[in-house]
Amino acid sequence: MIIPQAAVKATGELPRDMHKGNAGKTLIVAGSPGMAGAAVLSARGALHSGAGIVKCGICEEILNVVQICVPEAMCVARNMNINGMIPVMNPGEFDSIAVGPGLGSGEDRFRLIINLLLDYDGPVVIDADGLNSLALYSEDFTSQVCSLIRNRKGDTIMTPHPGEADRLLKAMGEENCASMGREKAARLISERTGAVTLLKGSHTIVAQPGEEKIYMNETGNPGMASGGSGDVLTGVIAAILAKANAGGSSLTAFEAASAGAFIHGLAGDIAAEKIGEQGMCSGDIADNIADAIRVINNGGNDGH
């Protein structure tokens, strides 16, 4: 197994004086009634990837569910005011923010994400319903969304699956992934939005604006084609960004997304070795992230 340098850089042995404050603090804005699992899986992905503090911004209806399912995470009710803001949160206290898994889509979610991008200068991961909400208003997408992301001080990573990528492309007046091919689609989304784009699927592709180089991931297996797998990946990338930001690492957003894809896929491969591909679920991926990081730190050996 060839381990990409980005994955080595994103993991590594922890210093003996490590504490939760310098392991990174991430906010995950996710979940809605009937979709509590998305917030749970994202939080578990972040915690198993080594984030020191994970806070979930969730709607009040599912707060107790998420708190019970992920006792290691802090939870706060996501009661948005008329401007789409979350009054009880201070975005500046976090080393990374992830938004979108199970969030639901609509105008209030659109405003929420826009305001987070405006108010927060750190790295943001946008996934799932976060992307769907941004793509709702094609008349505003190029003029408002793309311009905002390009001009942000912090990095933005978008993590669409092909269906979500098609919605973004449609909002830009472009053809779909099937017509242009996944690699071209990932590059185009990055160039237009200014975000690093991780296009999920077999051999996940990571592209960045202004660069020809892409990363094509080699880990993962068909057993990972299960609801919630992408939610776990969102948490993995958010944790990598938070740790890098808190620790003053030079890890780039492109490297963080590439490392996240590799770790996530490797965790899925380890899960498949243990229980088989058939019947694997997303929680199995989250449960094996620490093992995947251990294998990376051991140079590709399982350490047993």
Side-chain angles (χ1 to χ4, degrees), residues 255-271:
E255 290 173 325
S258 302
F262 183 85
I263 293 167
H264 179 257
L266 181 55
D269 288 341
I270 293 170

Side-chain angles (χ1 to χ4, degrees), residues 25-27 55 85-97 115-124 152 245-246:
K25 184 176 184 179
T26 190
L27 170 66
K55 181 178 279 189
M85 300 295 287
I86 306 174
V88 296
M89 293 184 189
N90 173 23
E93 72 180 275
F94 299 99
D95 298 301
S96 73
I97 294 178
N115 282 316
L116 277 176
L117 293 171
L118 284 168
D119 293 345
Y120 181 60
D121 290 337
V124 175
R152 287 191 71 237
N245 201 8

Side-chain angles (χ1 to χ4, degrees), residues 42-76:
S42 292
R44 289 180 62 197
L47 287 161
H48 283 298
S49 299
I53 297 173
V54 174
K55 181 178 279 189
C56 296
I58 49 182
C59 56
E60 194 162 2
E61 296 95 321
I62 64 170
L63 192 145
N64 288 340
V65 174
V66 176
Q67 187 70 86
I68 291 168
C69 289
V70 197
E72 301 92 341
M74 294 186 288
C75 295
V76 61

Side-chain angles (χ1 to χ4, degrees), residues 146-169:
C146 295
S147 176
L148 171 58
I149 293 172
R150 278 197 302 270
N151 292 318
R152 287 191 71 237
K153 188 178 294 185
D155 292 309
T156 306
I157 299 176
M158 292 182 165
T159 59
H161 60 48
E164 291 154 357
D166 284 349
R167 294 181 192 106
L168 294 173
L169 291 166

Side-chain angles (χ1 to χ4, degrees), residues 1 5 24 35 37 55 81 88 92 94 104 162 176 179 184 190 198 223 227 229 242 247 300:
M1 176 174 56
Q5 189 57 37
M35 294 292 287
K55 181 178 279 189
N81 65 22
V88 296
F94 299 99
N176 59 32
S179 299
K184 183 177 179 181
S190 280
L198 183 152
S229 177

